[in-house]
Amino acid sequence: MSVDSPSPAPAPPKKPLYEASTQFKHWRYSQESLADVRSKLNEAAVAVIRQTFEAYEPGSSSNVSFLNANEEHLLVTFYVTRITQLCGHFRFPEEVEATAATYLKRFYLKNTVMDWHPKNVMLTALFLATKTTNNPISLEAYTHNIPNTSPSDVLDLEFLIAQSLGFEFAVWHAHRALWGICLTSALQQLPSIPPDYAKSQSSVYDTALNHVRASRLTDAEFLYTPSQIALAAFSLTAPEIAQQWLESKQTLSESSPTKIGSGVLGSIETIKSIIINAGQRPETEAVREVDRRLRLCKNPEKVVGSKAYLARKAEEEKKAEERRSRKVASTGEGVDPFGDELDQPKPSLVDYDDDDDDD
Amino acid sequence: MSSYGGWLRGKTVKKGAASSSSVNTRSSTPHVQSTSTTIYGGGIKDPSGRVTEYFSMEDQCPVCKSDRYLNPKLRLLVSTCYHKMHVLSILLILMRVLTGVFRCESCIDRLFTLGPAPCPICSKVLRKLAFSPQTFEDLEVEKEVAIRRRLAKEFNKRLEDFDDLRDYNDYLQEVEDIAFNLINNIDVPQTEAKIQAYKAANAALTAANIQREEAYALALKEQEDFDRREREARAAQLVQEQEQERLEREREQNELISKLETSGKDAKKLVAKARLSQQKRQSARASEKSVLSGGMGFGADYAKLLKARTNKAKTSVPDEPHVPLQDDWYGYEDLYVLRPSYDDIFSEAVRKDREGIMRAGGYMVEEAWNRALRSAMAGLELEPLVGLQTEEPPLSAVDAGGDVIMA
């Protein structure tokens, strides 16, 4: 082996782009872990709220029936459908709608509906989504078109939501992946494509898009990647074309760093069944029932005007006051931040500005 | 000394018009007074060696309280104890000198004639000669300029004196730190000690650099002189040539006329011959001129010096380019092909948009397609997660009330 020309060290394999996203890093769950997160969050919330009830009115929590994780999830899903309605009203693009839905669902993986009612969170999530997807609308125009809403309702929660999302506003969406699939499949000269495919293309796309929209009501986006959801939606519409598309991509990816294995087929089938089974609007009656019970088991500290709310406010006020006084003490009292008074009076005997201009 | 060099050489130095006429103009806008009749050093000199003084209707001596309104010839000087307070109190350290005739003593004379005395405002011990005229309205600027001028004398290293750019930049940073400390009165004794240490360590190099700088300035001046002389010579030559040309043409004209008178040859031929010889003469002169100008040398010393400088600079270590993005991701490029065009109903409106109204902000439909195609491939191979992970995704901080803690 020749020594004079050392071969360059092999470059480390590049990581796929999707794995750089926060969606992959922080918002990817397994079926079990998702259920676990929700049930643990629910348990913790119920324990805290029960304690609060007891603290202000001992014995009052015994006959309150708290929501369980499934009921919370039902309520959130209902408000995802409300986002769709609002987006139709405002004529927002698909991007805004999908982003807002994702924000709302992600928010309730970190918070409980018993603290923050999804009705308000939904409005703020949608407003936040218009900004993060570059479709801004003025706050006045936004609240003006929604009855019984003031700008402060939207803005008060904005930071809380942004913080709960971990400020990770970028979302990879299935509808974009669907567009990509439709673009390539339209041009591939697949033998089985019917001659009038080009004409039916838009209808195929529309049907598949409806499946993608249905997938937003499910947990699919926490379990699978957007491209897989899009392919499943496409497969529900045109199974043969989807099959051929996937096979062509599989052969292409033989030598690439992201080899598409045969396991994808299983994933696609699972997503399909998720979309068909869970991708439906929750029944209004069930939601109404949950909402009625929520009114009783809300965290009393969050109900404006209640005893617990006032107590909490007073406590916060006291803390803030303490912090302020500590700050004043540390900077040294009585020191004017703009320096001492000038002890030099203005010396001129004549006011130059008050000139009679006779010269 | 050089501050009144212009005066010694007999150059006319205009006194600021404001100093004599300001009695009647009661404007309160600042004027700039120019003077060189001072025994006080310092101040900022303009290229002609004059010191331009700051001058305003608001001036008032803080010691005796006389102001410009009552005494138009009031002149204020700045002591060395620049205060570090805000601008109004800086005015307090202004000192007054009366150059008028009706009062012989001024505050500075009165206080400091008998030797060093404490400043009446801050009681720092001052000397009479330490006062200097004020050039800038803001005394902070005055102070900074004085400090930087002082530092520039000591810290005159150049890029050639360092092995690489990094060292040079560190050195510049150091100098800047020292200047900042002195200007803002931070750790003044330590900083002064630093300057002394530097001075001792680099005395030889500093001296050499001063010499180099002088040599360079000299060479520059020589070059300028040379250029000027050359220009003058060329102009003189041109005048001479024109004169010669005129004389010759006259002579030829006369010759031609006399020939036409005396000889019996064809007049037309004679005229043509005369023209020919005239043309010949002109072309000969033109070629002569080009030879002359081609032979003219460039300022030889200066060129050599320049060359030496650039050669030295080239030997220094090249600066590494800064690469902002170090991560390298695989973007699924081999899994899809972006075609030049698609039969795509969504971008139809954009593609038909000839005026480019929809393409504001550099929108390119190819980019949108590219993103969609990439999105269709991204993560297609990933298997879903199974089971409970040992490492849960980090939950944001939640307080006892179940709220996310607001920072």
Side-chain angles (χ1 to χ4, degrees), chain B residues 189-207:
Chain B
Q190 287 95 313
T191 312
E192 289 293 347
K194 222 191 262 178
I195 295 175
Q196 287 307 324
Y198 173 88
K199 224 190 227 177
N202 296 284
L205 191 57
T206 308

Side-chain angles (χ1 to χ4, degrees), chain A residues 340-354:
Chain A
D340 293 335
E341 196 79 12
L342 289 174
D343 52 0
Q344 186 75 12
K346 196 168 162 60
S348 54
L349 295 166
V350 179
D351 188 4
Y352 294 116
D353 293 331
D354 191 18

Side-chain angles (χ1 to χ4, degrees), chain A residues 28 30 205 227-228 302 359, chain B residues 24 346 378 382-383 387 403:
Chain A
R28 188 163 173 255
S30 69
Y205 177 83
S227 54
Q228 289 166 347
K302 302 285 192 286
D359 46 10
Chain B
N24 293 325
F346 299 103
L382 288 170
E383 300 273 339
D403 302 352

